[in-house]
Amino acid sequence: MFRRRTQEAPEDPPQVVVKPGGKGRPTPKRRDAEKRRRQPLTAPANRREAYRRMREKQAAERAKVREGMARGDERYLLKRDKGPVRRLARDFVDSRRTVGSYLMYGMLAVILLSLVPTVWARLVVLFAPPLLLALVFIEGIYLSIRIKKLAAERFPDEDRRGVGLYAAMRAMQFRRLRIPAPQVKIGDKI
């Protein structure tokens, strides 16, 4: 009852089956894999070196975020730019030419025209800036109304607060300097 039993040797030893396409080597032990994966940490020699490394790391992170924002990647966008409603507003504004994006060019022309010493140039310099600003203001209201209506149709359950002002402000920026960068071409249907 309490004695040891002798084990009988199996008649056929188990066969090792090699799968086709296998790695052809045994799996490494965990400690060996971890040892290979580890990289030695070198502590900075002084505070100046530590700050330099920190600045380099932060600069690399900022460049990564800036590139993601320029692409329009949702993970890197600011809170004001996130969401399908804001994407619709960006595409709506970017698909058309706006007076606001040419406002600075017009103002530069007015400044250059102010150097001309004629009566008609003085009149243009006097009346052009308020007229340009009024056009931009009216266009902003028009864009705001249109985008609010379009967003209500396409995204009835999403938050649409501030989307009109967002679209109007984007319309006043130079197309090349808009962030996130325009994803649609001028004239595309939205």
Side-chain angles (χ1 to χ4, degrees):
M1 177 171 172
F2 293 109
R3 66 187 142 137
R4 290 188 182 158
R5 294 186 183 169
T6 59
Q7 293 188 357
E8 299 173 4
E11 296 167 2
D12 289 328
Q15 298 292 325
V16 176
V17 179
V18 177
K19 294 181 184 177
K23 61 185 172 184
R25 58 181 171 76
T27 303
K29 297 215 180 272
R30 182 184 201 119
R31 67 172 180 237
D32 296 334
E34 286 178 352
K35 197 182 296 182
R36 269 196 310 268
R37 197 174 59 223
R38 284 194 188 132
Q39 295 177 354
L41 289 178
T42 55
N46 53 25
R47 286 174 60 132
R48 182 175 294 166
E49 177 71 19
Y51 284 128
R52 187 185 62 76
R53 286 185 188 179
M54 183 178 67
R55 280 193 306 272
E56 287 174 356
K57 184 178 176 184
Q58 288 173 344
E61 182 65 28
R62 281 193 303 270
K64 181 179 168 186
V65 168
R66 191 177 319 112
E67 184 180 318
M69 282 180 65
R71 280 193 322 263
D73 190 352
E74 285 281 329
R75 293 175 295 175
Y76 299 109
L77 293 179
L78 299 175
K79 187 173 185 239
R80 69 161 193 235
D81 297 323
K82 286 185 179 180
V85 176
R86 300 301 171 108
R87 178 179 275 297
L88 175 68
R90 285 194 303 271
D91 291 346
F92 183 79
V93 170
D94 294 341
S95 68
R96 60 194 70 233
R97 293 190 191 277
T98 60
V99 177
S101 61
Y102 296 107
L103 176 67
M104 289 300 165
Y105 296 122
M107 291 298 188
L108 180 63
V110 167
I111 290 172
L112 292 177
L113 201 57
S114 71
L115 301 175
V116 177
T118 60
V119 174
W120 65 269
R122 300 285 176 171
L123 287 173
V124 170
V125 169
L126 183 64
F127 291 112
L131 181 65
L132 285 173
L133 291 175
L135 283 173
V136 169
F137 183 71
I138 291 168
E139 182 186 45
I141 291 172
Y142 171 74
L143 284 174
S144 177
I145 292 169
R146 289 276 316 266
I147 195 63
K148 284 178 185 178
K149 189 183 293 185
L150 190 61
E153 290 173 7
R154 293 197 187 172
F155 303 105
D157 299 333
E158 294 286 331
D159 183 24
R160 296 182 303 272
R161 285 181 297 156
V163 73
L165 181 62
Y166 178 76
M169 295 303 291
R170 186 165 176 93
M172 289 193 320
Q173 297 172 348
F174 291 121
R175 183 174 170 89
R176 287 185 188 178
L177 300 180
R178 292 177 184 166
I179 293 182
Q183 304 291 319
V184 295
K185 294 180 181 172
I186 294 175
D188 287 352
K189 291 286 183 190
I190 300 301

